[in-house]
Amino acid sequence: MYELNICHLYPDLLNLYGDRGNIIALKMRCKWRGINANVSDISIGDKFDAEAYDIIFLGGGQDYEQEMIQNDLLNEKGEEIRNAVKNDKVFLAICGGYQLLGSYYKTWDGKEIHFLNALNLWTVGGKERMIGNFVFECDFLKNDNYDGKIVGFENHSGRTYLGPEVKPLGKIVKGYGNNGEDGFEGAIYKNVYCSYSHGSLLPKNPALADHLISIALKQKYKDFESLSSIDDEFENLAHDTMVKRITG
Amino acid sequence: MNIRLTFTIIITKLLIFALRILKSGGTSLPGKVARKIYPDIMKVISKDFRIIMVTGTNGKTTTTRIIGKLLEENNIEYITNKSGANLVSGVITTFIESVDIRGKSKTSTALLEVDEAAFNVVTDYVQPDILVVTNFFRDQLDRYGELYTTLNNVRSGIEKSPNVKLVLNADDSLCASLGHNMDREVVYYGFSDEAYTGNITVVNSDASICLYCKSKYEYSYHVYGHLGGFSCPNCGYMRPSSKVTCVKINELNTSYSDIIFSLSPIKGNEEPVSYNARINLPGLYNIYNALAAASLGHLFGFSPDSLVKAMESFECGFGRMETIETEGKTIKVILVKNPTGFNQVLSYLLTEKQNTQIAFVINDRLADGTDISWLWDVDFEQLQQMQDNVSYFYASGIRAEDMAVRLKYAGIHSDKIQIEKDYETLLNKALDATLEGQNLYILPTYTAMLEVRSLLEKKFGLKEFWK
Ligand SMILES: [Zn+2]
């Protein structure tokens, strides 16, 4: 029987906007296929050994809470996270977690805050928030039956820019995405997946959830080929209804 | 006589009357108009009132209702903004309705529910003599910004009210901080460490870190959400001792809660005295609401008897929980609007012993919060325990499909989840599945509640909501 160990980083502090929905989705989609999924909560002061996990999740928080974890994240867990990224570990980072993986955050009045520098990307604070339902398209998810469209909700004032070796997660169909300018959303680097789509990103986009589970299983088990299909009636309904509503 | 004042009052009163006739239920427009014609109107017409305001993220309406009952028990006439018109304009409208054309009123007490995001602005026009704050939980963030901003807005409103007395929740580290190092008289209310032990610690908490030094709080006991016996190991900020305290819960069920609460003297150090009370609404959160109201009565020097009476006899406010009897079946409508409130409603549903139907009606309009991600912060997983007693979980509203997904991932069997977007069909199906003597629960978000309510009005003749 296959088994995945999922690490939820700072679930008590980085938990804005239903981010734990992504953990629930990974866990249940494993469970329904008879794959054992264990979730470990790792927070401030806890020892973090990236090798013990197959998928690492980092959500977003309020400014105040994000400030609070900064020291622990950068000084106690930073080296381990940078190494894990290099060694192809599977990550999912949302909103604030996405920004934290980058090299820095520049506030709109010019103050520069150093972040993890695990990925070559950076964020510049803006005065206006980019809020709303949005749709983007992921090439790596496209197949004969699926157009690769992902639907979510974004709510951020930071504008994120990607270095040359980091690829966007998808192309914006409707909404703002990374910075509201270049038409891209999120980031992919090695096995790290980042998005501004918080909350129920994975439950409503089962193809992306399964993609993450698949690459984690491939990393771990030489004999793993592909996931069995499961009933996604409700998920697809929720996905299609929102895509239709947003793109008109 | 102040001609301009009289003119403004007449125009506004006519407008209120016209809107009533048109049945638009619009309660904020008249206030807006009044402010345009006469910006200082509030200062003039509110100056003879003793003003009680109730704010906070959850439980404002219920707390206001219990306080209203309490004032009635003590023969105090008051004006109030009943229909949830709790922004600046609604507050103004309430005052204008109560005064004659010279700006004078026969009533001298005002009881006002004030939106937590609007409180700071409201205090620019009128300051409370007593402010009751229920709690601070995450609510519709995409509209109001972050929780700490809301807290600080309320704080600056208090700073603008030099003579205000505060009634604060001791168990909420955010709410209690409003009285910390603040030069105001404060009465705290809360649970004792032994009152409630049934709760598991929830990771997903709104305020797990110290407001003053950012260390992680330690808890000697937990009630729900982030409410409980918090203390900061680093700077020493901790739950203040409460004057009005729930010391024991004798029974929690789907209709009421039996509790023992104690009153410590407002001034002096005499031993607290305990009283039995039945709170006429179920759920832990309503115990807090009752304690908040009791604290106000305690501060006013009302008799403990009248506090107990008010808790036992107040009626539920607009949409918070409404009961409709039809053909021996009971429809219960309970508003849901954020994770903490929703979790409390769910744990209340778990006390249901009979077979039942549950309908979730989720909208994502501005007043509901356009982002429905918060559904993932609600512990629907606890519904697994009652799955066998529920024939169907219905998902309805604009975001019915998202709700269905949430239930499925909470471990509810797909066969038991039904998406039904048409309210009429939903109601018929759900009532058919409900047997005589059983309950049908409808849990709508704000705008969904208005829609469901207008259907129920049509079918069963409910009262119009501003009455
Ligand atoms: Zn502290």
Tab-separated table of all heavy atoms in Angstrom, chain A residues 121-147:
chain	number	residue	atom	x	y	z
A	121	LEU	N	12.021	34.597	-7.124
A	121	LEU	CA	10.870	35.455	-7.397
A	121	LEU	C	10.783	36.472	-6.273
A	121	LEU	O	11.351	36.266	-5.211
A	121	LEU	CB	9.594	34.622	-7.529
A	121	LEU	CG	9.187	33.692	-6.375
A	121	LEU	CD1	8.315	34.416	-5.361
A	121	LEU	CD2	8.435	32.491	-6.926
A	122	TRP	N	10.110	37.576	-6.536
A	122	TRP	CA	10.035	38.631	-5.535
A	122	TRP	C	8.689	39.337	-5.614
A	122	TRP	O	8.002	39.241	-6.622
A	122	TRP	CB	11.194	39.622	-5.708
A	122	TRP	CG	11.193	40.270	-7.057
A	122	TRP	CD1	10.649	41.459	-7.399
A	122	TRP	CD2	11.772	39.728	-8.261
A	122	TRP	NE1	10.838	41.715	-8.732
A	122	TRP	CE2	11.527	40.681	-9.290
A	122	TRP	CE3	12.479	38.562	-8.579
A	122	TRP	CZ2	11.956	40.477	-10.599
A	122	TRP	CZ3	12.897	38.355	-9.884
A	122	TRP	CH2	12.638	39.324	-10.877
A	123	THR	N	8.348	40.020	-4.543
A	123	THR	CA	7.027	40.633	-4.466
A	123	THR	C	7.149	42.090	-4.078
A	123	THR	O	7.955	42.449	-3.219
A	123	THR	CB	6.165	39.890	-3.428
A	123	THR	OG1	6.121	38.503	-3.774
A	123	THR	CG2	4.740	40.428	-3.396
A	124	VAL	N	6.373	42.920	-4.733
A	124	VAL	CA	6.337	44.348	-4.429
A	124	VAL	C	4.939	44.699	-3.939
A	124	VAL	O	3.951	44.355	-4.579
A	124	VAL	CB	6.679	45.171	-5.693
A	124	VAL	CG1	6.678	46.664	-5.372
A	124	VAL	CG2	8.022	44.746	-6.263
A	125	GLY	N	4.867	45.342	-2.786
A	125	GLY	CA	3.561	45.682	-2.219
A	125	GLY	C	2.866	46.746	-3.046
A	125	GLY	O	3.511	47.639	-3.592
A	126	GLY	N	1.555	46.637	-3.151
A	126	GLY	CA	0.788	47.649	-3.860
A	126	GLY	C	-0.251	48.224	-2.921
A	126	GLY	O	-0.520	47.660	-1.872
A	127	LYS	N	-0.800	49.363	-3.290
A	127	LYS	CA	-1.803	49.975	-2.418
A	127	LYS	C	-3.167	49.350	-2.638
A	127	LYS	O	-3.996	49.308	-1.753
A	127	LYS	CB	-1.872	51.479	-2.673
A	127	LYS	CG	-0.749	52.228	-1.977
A	127	LYS	CD	-0.992	53.719	-2.050
A	127	LYS	CE	0.218	54.472	-1.501
A	127	LYS	NZ	0.091	55.914	-1.709
A	128	GLU	N	-3.409	48.891	-3.847
A	128	GLU	CA	-4.719	48.322	-4.139
A	128	GLU	C	-4.686	46.813	-4.042
A	128	GLU	O	-3.718	46.178	-4.434
A	128	GLU	CB	-5.156	48.732	-5.542
A	128	GLU	CG	-5.852	50.071	-5.561
A	128	GLU	CD	-5.826	50.670	-6.928
A	128	GLU	OE1	-6.310	50.012	-7.860
A	128	GLU	OE2	-5.291	51.796	-7.071
A	129	ARG	N	-5.767	46.264	-3.501
A	129	ARG	CA	-5.851	44.805	-3.429
A	129	ARG	C	-6.437	44.257	-4.714
A	129	ARG	O	-7.324	44.855	-5.312
A	129	ARG	CB	-6.723	44.383	-2.253
A	129	ARG	CG	-6.066	44.591	-0.907
A	129	ARG	CD	-6.828	43.871	0.186
A	129	ARG	NE	-6.406	42.493	0.353
A	129	ARG	CZ	-5.293	42.135	0.988
A	129	ARG	NH1	-4.499	43.041	1.496
A	129	ARG	NH2	-4.968	40.864	1.106
A	130	MET	N	-5.915	43.100	-5.089
A	130	MET	CA	-6.475	42.403	-6.240
A	130	MET	C	-7.360	41.291	-5.700
A	130	MET	O	-6.860	40.300	-5.184
A	130	MET	CB	-5.342	41.876	-7.105
A	130	MET	CG	-4.503	43.018	-7.680
A	130	MET	SD	-3.097	42.487	-8.669
A	130	MET	CE	-1.810	42.475	-7.432
A	131	ILE	N	-8.657	41.520	-5.783
A	131	ILE	CA	-9.607	40.624	-5.131
A	131	ILE	C	-10.627	40.094	-6.128
A	131	ILE	O	-11.138	40.860	-6.947
A	131	ILE	CB	-10.396	41.361	-4.012
A	131	ILE	CG1	-9.440	41.995	-3.008
A	131	ILE	CG2	-11.325	40.398	-3.285
A	131	ILE	CD1	-10.150	42.727	-1.877
A	132	GLY	N	-10.926	38.814	-6.025
A	132	GLY	CA	-12.047	38.294	-6.803
A	132	GLY	C	-11.856	36.867	-7.280
A	132	GLY	O	-10.778	36.285	-7.136
A	133	ASN	N	-12.920	36.322	-7.809
A	133	ASN	CA	-12.835	35.009	-8.440
A	133	ASN	C	-11.969	35.139	-9.672
A	133	ASN	O	-12.008	36.158	-10.367
A	133	ASN	CB	-14.232	34.538	-8.843
A	133	ASN	CG	-15.111	34.284	-7.627
A	133	ASN	OD1	-14.788	33.444	-6.790
A	133	ASN	ND2	-16.205	35.023	-7.518
A	134	PHE	N	-11.163	34.137	-9.965
A	134	PHE	CA	-10.368	34.205	-11.191
A	134	PHE	C	-10.163	32.828	-11.805
A	134	PHE	O	-10.366	31.804	-11.164
A	134	PHE	CB	-9.048	34.962	-10.968
A	134	PHE	CG	-7.977	34.257	-10.168
A	134	PHE	CD1	-6.624	34.423	-10.511
A	134	PHE	CD2	-8.280	33.453	-9.086
A	134	PHE	CE1	-5.622	33.805	-9.781
A	134	PHE	CE2	-7.274	32.830	-8.350
A	134	PHE	CZ	-5.946	33.009	-8.707
A	135	VAL	N	-9.820	32.850	-13.092
A	135	VAL	CA	-9.607	31.599	-13.830
A	135	VAL	C	-8.271	31.692	-14.559
A	135	VAL	O	-7.956	32.716	-15.141
A	135	VAL	CB	-10.733	31.365	-14.866
A	135	VAL	CG1	-10.438	30.130	-15.715
A	135	VAL	CG2	-12.080	31.212	-14.174
A	136	PHE	N	-7.486	30.625	-14.465
A	136	PHE	CA	-6.262	30.567	-15.277
A	136	PHE	C	-6.122	29.172	-15.881
A	136	PHE	O	-6.838	28.248	-15.522
A	136	PHE	CB	-5.032	30.971	-14.465
A	136	PHE	CG	-4.830	30.211	-13.178
A	136	PHE	CD1	-3.973	29.106	-13.142
A	136	PHE	CD2	-5.468	30.596	-12.007
A	136	PHE	CE1	-3.767	28.410	-11.951
A	136	PHE	CE2	-5.274	29.897	-10.816
A	136	PHE	CZ	-4.421	28.799	-10.793
A	137	GLU	N	-5.185	29.077	-16.829
A	137	GLU	CA	-5.092	27.866	-17.642
A	137	GLU	C	-3.702	27.268	-17.489
A	137	GLU	O	-2.705	27.951	-17.692
A	137	GLU	CB	-5.301	28.292	-19.105
A	137	GLU	CG	-5.950	27.284	-19.983
A	137	GLU	CD	-6.260	27.914	-21.333
A	137	GLU	OE1	-5.298	28.403	-21.974
A	137	GLU	OE2	-7.425	27.951	-21.715
A	138	CYS	N	-3.626	26.003	-17.118
A	138	CYS	CA	-2.332	25.338	-16.916
A	138	CYS	C	-2.062	24.364	-18.055
A	138	CYS	O	-2.781	23.372	-18.212
A	138	CYS	CB	-2.322	24.564	-15.602
A	138	CYS	SG	-2.593	25.587	-14.161
A	139	ASP	N	-1.000	24.646	-18.816
A	139	ASP	CA	-0.665	23.756	-19.943
A	139	ASP	C	-0.380	22.327	-19.495
A	139	ASP	O	-0.781	21.373	-20.147
A	139	ASP	CB	0.556	24.310	-20.697
A	139	ASP	CG	0.169	25.492	-21.576
A	139	ASP	OD1	-1.022	25.554	-21.948
A	139	ASP	OD2	1.046	26.335	-21.861
A	140	PHE	N	0.297	22.195	-18.355
A	140	PHE	CA	0.707	20.841	-17.936
A	140	PHE	C	-0.474	19.969	-17.512
A	140	PHE	O	-0.334	18.772	-17.299
A	140	PHE	CB	1.753	20.912	-16.819
A	140	PHE	CG	1.247	21.540	-15.542
A	140	PHE	CD1	0.759	20.744	-14.507
A	140	PHE	CD2	1.271	22.912	-15.369
A	140	PHE	CE1	0.298	21.311	-13.323
A	140	PHE	CE2	0.796	23.489	-14.196
A	140	PHE	CZ	0.313	22.695	-13.173
A	141	LEU	N	-1.656	20.572	-17.357
A	141	LEU	CA	-2.834	19.787	-16.973
A	141	LEU	C	-3.712	19.439	-18.175
A	141	LEU	O	-4.651	18.653	-18.067
A	141	LEU	CB	-3.667	20.550	-15.946
A	141	LEU	CG	-3.049	20.748	-14.568
A	141	LEU	CD1	-3.966	21.605	-13.705
A	141	LEU	CD2	-2.773	19.411	-13.877
A	142	LYS	N	-3.400	20.038	-19.323
A	142	LYS	CA	-4.263	19.826	-20.505
A	142	LYS	C	-4.145	18.405	-21.016
A	142	LYS	O	-3.056	17.851	-21.115
A	142	LYS	CB	-3.863	20.799	-21.621
A	142	LYS	CG	-4.386	22.204	-21.402
A	142	LYS	CD	-4.065	23.090	-22.588
A	142	LYS	CE	-4.469	24.526	-22.276
A	142	LYS	NZ	-3.920	25.465	-23.239
A	143	ASN	N	-5.301	17.796	-21.320
A	143	ASN	CA	-5.302	16.521	-22.037
A	143	ASN	C	-6.573	16.443	-22.883
A	143	ASN	O	-7.307	17.431	-22.994
A	143	ASN	CB	-5.189	15.336	-21.061
A	143	ASN	CG	-6.350	15.295	-20.079
A	143	ASN	OD1	-7.496	15.585	-20.444
A	143	ASN	ND2	-6.054	14.952	-18.835
A	144	ASP	N	-6.856	15.279	-23.432
A	144	ASP	CA	-7.992	15.165	-24.351
A	144	ASP	C	-9.320	15.538	-23.692
A	144	ASP	O	-10.232	16.023	-24.337
A	144	ASP	CB	-8.082	13.730	-24.902
A	144	ASP	CG	-6.884	13.415	-25.755
A	144	ASP	OD1	-6.189	14.384	-26.166
A	144	ASP	OD2	-6.608	12.224	-26.000
A	145	ASN	N	-9.417	15.269	-22.370
A	145	ASN	CA	-10.698	15.500	-21.700
A	145	ASN	C	-10.755	16.783	-20.882
A	145	ASN	O	-11.772	17.104	-20.295
A	145	ASN	CB	-11.007	14.335	-20.757
A	145	ASN	CG	-10.934	13.016	-21.453
A	145	ASN	OD1	-11.459	12.856	-22.553
A	145	ASN	ND2	-10.233	12.078	-20.837
A	146	TYR	N	-9.644	17.484	-20.794
A	146	TYR	CA	-9.603	18.592	-19.848
A	146	TYR	C	-8.823	19.766	-20.425
A	146	TYR	O	-7.708	19.603	-20.922
A	146	TYR	CB	-8.964	18.090	-18.539
A	146	TYR	CG	-8.877	19.139	-17.438
A	146	TYR	CD1	-9.981	19.914	-17.098
A	146	TYR	CD2	-7.678	19.341	-16.750
A	146	TYR	CE1	-9.887	20.860	-16.096
A	146	TYR	CE2	-7.589	20.279	-15.739
A	146	TYR	CZ	-8.693	21.041	-15.417
A	146	TYR	OH	-8.608	21.980	-14.426
A	147	ASP	N	-9.428	20.960	-20.331
A	147	ASP	CA	-8.804	22.140	-20.942
A	147	ASP	C	-7.776	22.829	-20.050
A	147	ASP	O	-7.240	23.869	-20.399
A	147	ASP	CB	-9.890	23.134	-21.358
A	147	ASP	CG	-10.732	23.616	-20.180
A	147	ASP	OD1	-10.376	23.281	-19.023
A	147	ASP	OD2	-11.739	24.311	-20.402
